[in-house]
Amino acid sequence: MELYVDTANIEHIRYAATLGCITGVTTNPSLLAKEDPSIDVRQRILEIHELIGGHLSVEVISTVTKGMLKEAEEIISWFPQATIKIPIIPDGLSAVKELSKRGIPTNVTLIFTPTQALAANNAGATYVSIFMGRLDDISQNSSDVLNDICEIWDVQECESKIIAASIRHPLHIIEAAKAGADIATIPYKVLMQSLKNPLTDSGLEQFLSDYDKMQTERQKILNI
Ligand code: G3P
């Protein structure tokens, strides 16, 4: 399962890019709105693209097909490898169909059910984003929904890649990987949490202190 970082924060992306385990970035209007309001969106997207190099999803704002297609063209003019993120609404599906005909990759977002995922796949979505945390927020088991979608994908041989999104904690990453999601897109804070373990920290401390002790002993023995 690939790991993307779900943020528009340039410092977080800069650091995540050094980790060697991140292959893409997903953004959305809320993530961009969390950043300095004076930033130029095009400029920020291009900065992110330069840093990460791999997948970059950029979301449209329009809710009508024509507007979505116009925005997609604009984003593609910024950098041709962009993946256009489109909400799972009827107009969005039409836009996905058209962009798919043109060979432009799409990421259909705000998916909460297997039927929405299937419709997006059939419209030609390159990626489908299943929002785990927001399902759990309304007491629907996100793991069950993701498992259902992955099972349908296997049975029906669907082609869209499954992105587990709205990840709120490291357990969501494990559930997504076990279900068979292709990608988990992870907020920076959760990404860092998922790398940490107190046993790693104490283990490393012990290794270093034992090595130091050994060096001190060695110097004593060799009189150096
Ligand atoms: O990738 C979708 C994500 O940005 C939404 O996350 O935590 O706002 O539900 P959240």
Side-chain angles (χ1 to χ4, degrees):
M1 183 175 77
E2 283 183 76
L3 307 178
Y4 293 174
V5 66
D6 192 28
T7 180
N9 182 287
I10 208 72
E11 289 318 316
H12 289 169
I13 293 168
R14 197 188 306 282
Y15 186 69
T18 67
L19 296 174
C21 60
I22 299 298
T23 47
V25 173
T26 51
T27 60
N28 65 35
S30 302
L31 291 172
L32 282 161
K34 273 194 203 163
E35 301 302 309
D36 175 0
S38 70
I39 61 166
D40 174 67
V41 172
R42 174 181 173 276
Q43 198 53 42
R44 173 52 53 98
I45 294 295
L46 286 177
E47 265 180 280
I48 298 174
H49 172 57
E50 201 157 301
L51 280 175
I52 213 77
H55 174 102
L56 176 52
S57 281
V58 186
E59 189 156 343
V60 297
I61 307 298
S62 176
T63 52
V64 294
T65 308
K66 210 173 150 195
M68 290 176 186
L69 293 174
K70 193 161 172 267
E71 280 183 64
E73 269 168 31
E74 195 191 336
I75 295 164
I76 292 293
S77 78
W78 300 345
F79 71 108
Q81 306 92 321
T83 293
I84 310 299
K85 208 167 172 189
I86 293 186
I88 177 72
I89 54 176
D91 273 64
L93 288 172
S94 307
V96 168
K97 181 83 195 163
E98 180 54 33
L99 292 172
S100 150
K101 272 196 231 155
R102 298 183 198 170
I104 296 172
T106 51
N107 173 359
V108 178
T109 188
L110 289 166
I111 293 184
F112 295 96
T113 65
T115 48
Q116 289 179 319
L118 201 51
N121 174 77
N122 291 5
T126 321
Y127 302 89
V128 289
S129 285
I130 321 302
F131 275 41
M132 297 187 77
R134 293 191 195 187
L135 278 165
D136 294 334
D137 287 345
I138 58 160
S139 306
Q140 281 193 25
N141 189 320
S142 61
S143 197
D144 288 349
V145 174
L146 191 60
N147 276 309
D148 280 349
I149 293 172
C150 289
E151 188 183 334
I152 292 167
W153 250 234
D154 283 346
V155 173
Q156 299 291 336
E157 298 180 355
C158 294
E159 285 182 2
S160 308
K161 285 195 167 185
I162 297 174
I163 301 183
S166 183
I167 297 275
R168 301 278 176 78
H169 47 69
L171 272 179
H172 274 151
I173 305 172
I174 296 170
E175 286 164 6
K178 279 167 74 179
D182 297 287
I183 297 131
T185 188
I186 311 166
Y188 180 78
K189 184 173 159 238
V190 180
L191 174 68
M192 298 318 290
Q193 279 174 338
S194 76
L195 300 178
K196 265 223 145 313
N197 189 289
L199 293 176
T200 307
D201 296 342
S202 60
L204 183 59
E205 206 175 302
Q206 184 74 53
F207 286 159
L208 296 179
S209 118
D210 287 346
Y211 191 78
D212 257 5
K213 270 187 227 154
M214 186 190 84
Q215 290 304 311
T216 314
E217 286 302 308
R218 186 171 179 274
Q219 283 167 4
K220 266 194 220 156
I221 293 164
L222 300 178
N223 257 333
I224 46 176

